[in-house]
């Protein structure tokens, strides 16, 4: 059975502040701690729907550009171009990487459909995170940043080690806004330098 999600303080705050999802506070807290965005950045938001992260990113990049990608539809956000498709589909990814050009920041909040089976959910989450990392290899500029959600479990360390090969700084982090969900972590990679 899927875990019951409480409508907590962040849910109500998102409603009050006009954001589409409480997830926005996870990215905000990550950004406040790790300085992910700067004015003028090109950002790709993978697994963007319903759009809280894209709403935050578009505010942070000013004259920059935000491309949002999801296999589900997303209502328009001013200043964000939305592309519907599956990040595990190679042809779609190639197309998006051409549209995006050189990217400063790749963010991914992609989640599998939660089954409640801990190891299956973990494995599917790592699978999506690896696709997000692959996308960052294709598009990130030198010095670019990466934020990706991964459910903790046996393959978490291996995934972190893989990210460490391509970024100067890598850290796993659980923002306060995600603490209700015990297995959700974000891996932050800063200073992309390709795979050495
Ligand atoms: C937790 S939601 C993202 C919430 C979003 N960050 C926000 O702030 O509103 C996870 C999203 O990942 C998307 N997703 C899962 N697998 C995907 C895939 N293979 N390709 C594209 N999107 C995917 C889902 O459709 C879902 O909309």
């Amino acid at each position: 059975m899927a875990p019951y999600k409480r409508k907590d303080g962040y849910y109500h705050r998102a409603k009050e502040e006009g954001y589409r999802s409480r997830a926005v506070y996870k990215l905000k807290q990550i950004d406040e701690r790790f300085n992910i965005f700067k004015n003028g950045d090109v950002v790709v938001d993978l697994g963007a729907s319903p759009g809280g992260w894209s709403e935050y990113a578009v505010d942070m990049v000013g004259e920059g550009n935000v491309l949002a990608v999801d296999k589900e539809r997303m209502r328009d956000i001013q200043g964000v171009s939305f592309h519907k498709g599956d990040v595990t589909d190679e042809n779609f990814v190639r197309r998006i990487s051409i549209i995006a050009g050189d990217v400063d920041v790749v963010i991914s909040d992609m989640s599998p459909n939660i089954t409640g089976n801990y190891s299956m959910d973990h494995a599917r989450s790592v699978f999506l995170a690896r696709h997000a990392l692959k996308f960052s290899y294709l598009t990130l500029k030198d010095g670019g940043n990466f934020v990706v959600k991964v459910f903790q479990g046996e393959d978490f360390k291996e995934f972190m080690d893989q990210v460490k090969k391509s970024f100067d700084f890598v850290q796993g982090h659980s923002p306060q806004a995600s603490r209700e969900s015990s297995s959700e972590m974000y891996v932050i990679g800063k200073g992309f330098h390709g795979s050495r």
Side-chain angles (χ1 to χ4, degrees):
M1 197 174 75
Y4 173 66
K5 283 218 175 119
R6 227 166 7 106
K7 288 183 177 169
D8 65 358
Y10 287 110
Y11 171 90
H12 295 292
R13 190 171 151 196
K15 286 227 143 202
E16 276 163 31
E17 295 182 357
Y19 288 114
R20 293 181 181 187
S21 62
R22 68 181 295 294
V24 68
Y25 300 108
K26 302 178 198 175
L27 184 61
K28 187 172 190 294
Q29 289 167 2
I30 290 168
D31 186 36
E32 284 167 357
R33 183 164 173 143
F34 295 100
N35 288 315
I36 303 299
F37 304 103
K38 61 183 184 316
N39 193 23
D41 276 354
V42 174
V43 178
V44 178
D45 180 6
L46 303 174
S49 188
W53 280 30
S54 285
E55 288 181 312
Y56 180 80
V58 82
D59 282 349
M60 299 315 290
V61 302
E63 296 299 300
N65 202 0
V66 178
L67 277 86
V69 172
D70 205 292
K71 62 188 172 79
E72 305 297 338
R73 295 173 65 84
M74 187 172 92
R75 269 189 299 123
D76 287 351
I77 297 173
Q78 199 173 359
V80 176
S81 62
F82 177 67
H83 305 269
K84 185 171 182 291
D86 188 328
V87 173
T88 67
D89 171 347
E90 251 183 65
N91 290 327
F92 173 71
V93 164
R94 204 170 302 125
R95 199 152 49 78
I96 295 303
S97 67
I98 291 165
I99 295 169
D102 289 341
V103 171
D104 299 285
V105 184
V106 172
I107 53 180
S108 171
D109 197 25
M110 285 192 289
S111 290
N113 290 328
I114 305 297
T115 65
N117 176 323
Y118 188 84
S119 34
M120 189 187 290
D121 292 342
H122 163 67
R124 288 180 174 170
S125 154
V126 172
F127 175 74
L128 291 173
R130 287 200 174 112
H131 279 279
L133 182 61
K134 217 165 133 187
F135 185 83
S136 80
Y137 291 160
L138 268 180
T139 59
L140 271 186
K141 287 181 188 167
D142 266 9
N145 297 335
F146 179 54
V147 176
V148 61
K149 175 159 74 188
V150 196
F151 298 162
Q152 288 183 74
E154 56 182 346
D155 295 330
F156 182 80
K157 187 184 172 303
E158 191 193 319
F159 178 72
M160 281 276 280
D161 288 344
Q162 200 183 342
V163 181
K164 282 179 185 163
K165 288 183 184 157
S166 306
F167 292 84
D168 293 334
F169 167 91
V170 177
Q171 194 168 308
H173 178 67
S174 171
Q176 210 235 329
S178 60
R179 296 231 165 106
E180 79 177 51
S181 157
S182 57
S183 73
E184 179 179 277
M185 283 286 282
Y186 289 84
V187 175
I188 322 296
K190 291 195 71 179
F192 180 70
H193 53 65
S195 10
R196 280 179 190 149

